[in-house]
């Protein structure tokens, strides 16, 4: 096969528009590289920002901490680091493995990381298959990143098409829409139900020379079969029972503009014949009429059906498919563009809050608890989304309305169960490449302490347990063999210990500055509960300058 033909076959759709986006040389063709995309962040508008890990392909490594490197919105000129004070300055280190995967190392004392529900200890390797599927990483229970593959070169495509998202597949749809927008050729849009096919059709219309003309949207699946021809092509008075006046028809209503026919695979046989004729001649025959009527219409059709299979079953005419598919655009399902889920959710949430008159809830959220809770963000990223973007929008509306009057978003148990029921498999368990401490044989393991009475715990034991667990309340309670409520009670009664409530604003502020916002260092110095101290820092609005 000649090289040119091979290239055209590999690239499914040829660029036939003289007004298309600039072509790139073979050296500039984008290749997929590992990337990190923000799904949830304490500053909501940062959802969708991305960090490309392209240097891993050359054998290097990438270190990510709260101070760098910058995450940038695709197509944007400037970015900024994660910049959350609850993340450690000690970086997460990403490296390439010999098998083409990614190794993530967490330094001791660094930011806590979860892979879905599993805490990451030491290091973990992700296979190429896992990268292709996308892996949610939760940092310090505040930021959710998606580790996935993204194009190394982003095409310079206008973002004014009304399509939300910056995944590779979304940008590919933008590119295809821009290429064909100024032409009159028919366009066939394929994609699953709820994936946004009509949005693509409207984007093509709005960037075409016909933008000032009408855009008529018709769902063929919703038209009664016996009336479909009359609805599309018009009808003369008396052409059928109940026809008391002339009917214009959708084709003539769209004259000078665009007609969008959704679910074209459901068109009855007689309608298919008439569609083929209007595509060939530019004329329609109204039902009951004897003279053709010329129409100037750009036809865009869409389907979620396998038209080739319907042709094999004699349910769809092959010549009609060839006519409709002057140019094809494939709209991806939401599960194939998981890096768009965070920005889509925030977009829909903003629309719902604006309708409720509560947009300030999203605009004012910053440096506090993440507005989109990490657990909910992970559930959404892992969900299979059979209803695609339409389902995400509906779910967003339910969550926003169900959270009215609450300080943050909260999904109901039913929604959580729905998301968990159709989730992708949890990634494999971590590979502990750097275990914190060697495990002793089972016979030498210390038995777990039996349950004790709080009154049996001395003040010295209490202090040693808290210091030995870096003031981790749960771990200290387990070491002492008491419950956490009992531990809190002992701390309150201890003459040697303080609680967060005993600390003055000046003491916390001074310690925050001296420790440069390192929460672990502050806990060691002040000897108070980490969670309680974290809460006070948020209340005081302390951020590292």
């Amino acid at each position: 096969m000649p090289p040119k033909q091979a290239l055209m076959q590999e690239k499914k759709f040829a660029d036939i528009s003289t007004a298309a986006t600039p072509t790139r040389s073979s050296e500039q063709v984008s290749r997929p590289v590992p990337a990190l995309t923000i799904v949830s962040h304490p500053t909501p508008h940062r959802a969708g920002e991305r960090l490309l890990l392209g240097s891993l392909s050359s054998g290097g490594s990438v270190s990510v901490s709260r101070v760098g490197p910058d995450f940038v919105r695709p197509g944007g000129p400037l970015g900024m680091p994660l910049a959350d004070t609850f993340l450690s300055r000690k970086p997460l280190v990403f490296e390439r493995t010999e098998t083409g995967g990614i190794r993530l190392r967490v330094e001791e004392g660094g930011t806590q990381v979860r892979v879905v529900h599993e805490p990451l200890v030491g290091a973990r390797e992700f296979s190429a298959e896992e990268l292709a599927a996308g892996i949610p990483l939760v940092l310090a229970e505040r930021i959710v990143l998606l580790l996935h593959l993204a194009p190394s070169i982003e095409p310079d495509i206008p973002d004014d098409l009304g399509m939300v998202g910056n995944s590779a597949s979304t940008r590919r749809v933008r590119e295809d829409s821009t290429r064909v927008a100024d032409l009159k050729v028919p366009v066939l849009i394929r994609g699953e139900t709820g994936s946004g096919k009509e949005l693509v059709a409207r984007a093509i219309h709005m960037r075409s020379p016909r933008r000032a003309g009408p855009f008529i949207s018709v769902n063929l699946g919703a038209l009664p079969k016996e009336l479909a021809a009359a609805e599309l092509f018009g009808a003369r008075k008396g052409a059928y029972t109940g026809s008391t006046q002339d009917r214009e028809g959708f084709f003539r209503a769209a004259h000078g503009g665009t007609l969008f026919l959704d679910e074209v695979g459901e068109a009855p046989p007689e309608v298919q014949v008439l569609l083929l004729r209007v595509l060939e001649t530019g004329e329609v025959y109204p039902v009951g009429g004897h003279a053709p009527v010329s129409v100037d219409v750009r036809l865009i059709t869409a389907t979620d059906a396998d038209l080739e299979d319907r042709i094999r079953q004699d349910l769809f005419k092959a010549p009609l498919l060839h006519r409709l598919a002057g140019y094809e655009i494939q709209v991806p399902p939401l599960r194939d563009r998981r890096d768009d889920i965070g920005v889509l959710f925030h977009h829909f949430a903003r629309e719902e809050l604006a309708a409720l008159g509560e947009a300030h809830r999203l605009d004012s959220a910053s440096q506090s608890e993440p507005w989109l809770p990490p657990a909910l963000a992970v559930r959404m990223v892992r969900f299979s989304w059979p209803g695609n973007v339409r389902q995400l929008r509906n779910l967003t509306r339910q969550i926003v309305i169900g959270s009215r009057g609450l300080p943050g978003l909260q999904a109901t148990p039913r929604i959580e169960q729905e998301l968990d029921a159709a989730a992708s498999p949890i990634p494999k368990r971590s590979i502990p490449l750097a275990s914190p401490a060697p495990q002793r044989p089972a016979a030498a393991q210390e038995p777990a302490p039996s349950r004790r009475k709080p009154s049996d715990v001395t003040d010295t034991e209490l202090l040693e347990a808290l210091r030995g667990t870096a003031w981790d309340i749960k771990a200290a309670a387990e070491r002492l063999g008491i419950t956490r409520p009992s531990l809190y009670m002992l701390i309150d009664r201890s003459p040697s210990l303080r609680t967060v409530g005993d600390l003055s604003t000046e003491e916390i502020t001074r310690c925050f500055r001296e420790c440069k916002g390192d929460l672990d260092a502050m806990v060691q110095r002040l000897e108070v509960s980490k969670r309680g101290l974290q809460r006070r820092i948020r209340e005081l609005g302390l951020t590292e300058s």
Side-chain angles (χ1 to χ4, degrees):
M1 181 182 295
K4 184 175 180 180
Q5 293 183 9
L7 178 61
M8 290 181 66
Q9 183 164 333
E10 179 180 355
K11 188 177 184 298
K12 188 173 181 182
F13 309 123
D15 182 358
I16 59 175
S17 169
T18 57
T21 54
T23 57
R24 298 187 296 271
S25 65
S26 58
E27 290 78 9
Q28 292 177 307
V29 173
S30 178
R31 67 185 191 284
V33 298
L36 292 169
T37 295
I38 297 176
V39 179
S40 176
H41 190 280
T43 304
H45 67 76
R46 299 203 57 188
E49 293 181 7
R50 179 174 300 163
L51 171 67
L52 295 178
L53 307 178
S55 61
L56 299 184
S57 58
S58 59
S61 63
V62 177
S63 298
V64 179
S65 72
R66 73 168 184 244
V67 296
D70 288 351
F71 282 68
V72 181
R73 190 168 300 279
L78 301 175
M80 63 182 299
L82 291 176
D84 187 86
T85 57
F86 297 97
L87 270 59
S88 173
R89 284 176 172 270
K90 295 181 179 179
L92 311 176
V93 181
F94 294 85
E95 304 166 324
R96 195 79 176 184
T97 65
E98 296 179 356
T99 58
I102 295 293
R103 178 185 295 108
L104 169 57
R105 289 192 292 106
V106 181
E107 294 190 15
E108 186 176 355
T111 300
Q112 295 179 346
V113 178
R114 269 196 300 112
V115 181
V116 189
H117 304 303
E118 180 182 342
L120 178 60
V121 179
R124 153 142 195 184
E125 291 187 4
F126 301 103
S127 66
E129 292 74 18
E130 289 176 301
L131 285 175
I135 307 143
L137 306 175
V138 183
L139 277 53
E141 299 300 328
R142 290 177 56 79
I143 294 175
V144 178
L145 303 177
L146 184 69
L147 176 61
H148 63 108
L149 296 177
S152 57
I153 300 175
E154 298 285 1
D156 185 17
I157 304 299
D159 290 340
D160 59 349
L161 299 178
M163 303 179 193
V164 177
N166 287 292
S167 66
S169 52
T170 301
R171 295 180 73 84
R172 191 178 304 117
V173 171
R174 285 198 188 102
E175 188 174 6
D176 285 336
S177 301
T178 302
R179 281 178 170 155
V180 76
D182 66 316
L183 304 178
K184 190 180 177 180
V185 298
V187 177
L188 174 61
I189 304 173
R190 300 197 192 222
E192 296 180 4
T193 179
S195 58
K197 298 186 290 295
E198 182 172 347
L199 179 64
V200 176
R202 289 184 181 275
I204 294 173
H205 172 74
M206 292 307 299
R207 287 192 64 82
S208 77
R210 299 170 174 267
R211 66 179 65 89
F215 178 88
I216 305 296
S217 177
V218 181
N219 187 327
L220 287 179
L223 294 180
K225 291 186 177 181
E226 61 274 11
L227 297 179
E231 293 282 3
L232 289 172
F233 308 107
R236 298 304 182 195
K237 179 180 178 181
Y240 54 88
T241 302
S243 175
T244 58
Q245 59 183 4
D246 287 348
R247 182 185 294 271
E248 182 183 42
F250 291 121
F251 265 94
R252 282 192 285 173
H255 184 77
T258 303
L259 177 62
F260 173 62
L261 300 181
D262 198 5
E263 295 191 30
V264 70
E266 301 299 319
E270 61 274 14
V271 169
Q272 294 183 37
V273 173
L274 294 173
L275 280 175
L276 186 57
R277 180 176 180 82
V278 72
L279 285 168
E280 290 176 343
T281 66
E283 297 176 338
V284 298
Y285 274 86
V287 176
H290 302 288
V293 178
S294 296
V295 291
D296 177 21
V297 173
R298 168 72 172 286
L299 186 62
I300 301 178
T301 54
T303 184
D304 61 354
D306 185 341
L307 295 183
E308 289 77 9
D309 184 61
R310 294 182 69 83
I311 290 173
R312 287 190 291 271
Q313 298 179 47
D314 292 328
L315 298 175
F316 201 82
K317 297 183 180 300
L320 178 59
L321 173 58
H322 301 153
R323 283 288 187 176
L324 295 176
Y327 191 84
E328 284 195 27
I329 296 178
Q330 184 71 42
V331 180
L334 187 54
R335 62 181 175 275
D336 289 347
R337 44 184 291 216
R338 296 182 188 272
D339 44 326
D340 282 341
I341 290 176
V343 67
L344 278 168
F345 177 85
H346 285 88
H347 171 76
F348 293 144
R350 184 176 296 280
E351 290 185 340
E352 294 301 326
L353 289 169
L356 296 172
E358 300 177 4
H360 61 279
R361 289 181 58 197
L362 190 57
D363 295 330
S364 61
S366 178
Q367 299 302 323
S368 58
E369 290 289 344
W371 193 79
L372 172 57
L376 179 56
V378 169
R379 281 188 167 96
M380 290 196 299
V381 169
R382 293 184 57 234
F383 188 57
S384 60
W385 298 107
N388 291 293
V389 178
R390 184 185 295 124
Q391 185 180 15
L392 174 58
R393 181 166 200 158
N394 181 60
L395 186 78
T396 304
R397 179 181 294 114
Q398 293 185 58
I399 292 174
V400 169
I401 295 176
S403 301
R404 296 189 74 188
L406 301 177
L409 293 182
Q410 181 175 318
T412 64
R414 184 190 63 79
I415 290 177
E416 291 182 348
Q417 291 172 6
E418 177 185 347
L419 293 174
D420 290 338
S424 59
I426 296 177
K428 303 172 185 177
R429 293 184 60 81
S430 300
I431 303 173
L433 302 175
S435 180
Q439 296 293 321
R440 290 180 290 178
Q445 292 282 355
E446 294 180 6
S450 58
R451 188 65 67 194
R452 300 170 64 187
K453 295 180 180 179
S455 57
D456 293 337
V457 178
T458 66
D459 200 53
T460 301
E461 283 183 294
L462 175 63
L463 184 58
E464 289 177 352
L466 288 168
R467 287 175 174 171
T469 58
W471 280 80
D472 185 316
I473 299 298
K474 180 180 178 181
E478 291 176 352
R479 175 176 294 193
L480 293 171
I482 59 177
T483 64
R484 275 185 284 181
S486 297
L487 181 59
Y488 282 119
M489 179 190 66
L490 291 177
I491 293 174
D492 289 336
R493 294 179 179 178
S494 172
S496 308
L497 300 176
R498 297 184 299 174
T499 65
V500 174
D502 297 325
L503 303 177
S504 66
T505 300
E506 293 75 14
E507 186 175 6
I508 295 175
T509 302
R510 182 174 62 254
C511 185
F512 182 87
R513 291 172 179 168
E514 292 175 354
C515 294
K516 298 181 179 180
D518 190 322
L519 185 61
D520 293 325
M522 293 180 67
V523 168
Q524 294 292 335
R525 178 179 297 189
L526 298 173
E527 293 195 329
V528 291
S529 164
K530 183 175 182 178
R531 181 174 298 180
L533 181 58
Q534 189 178 46
R535 184 169 56 250
R536 280 295 303 279
I537 291 174
R538 293 173 191 164
E539 292 172 353
L540 295 174
L542 295 176
T543 57
E544 187 177 357
S545 58

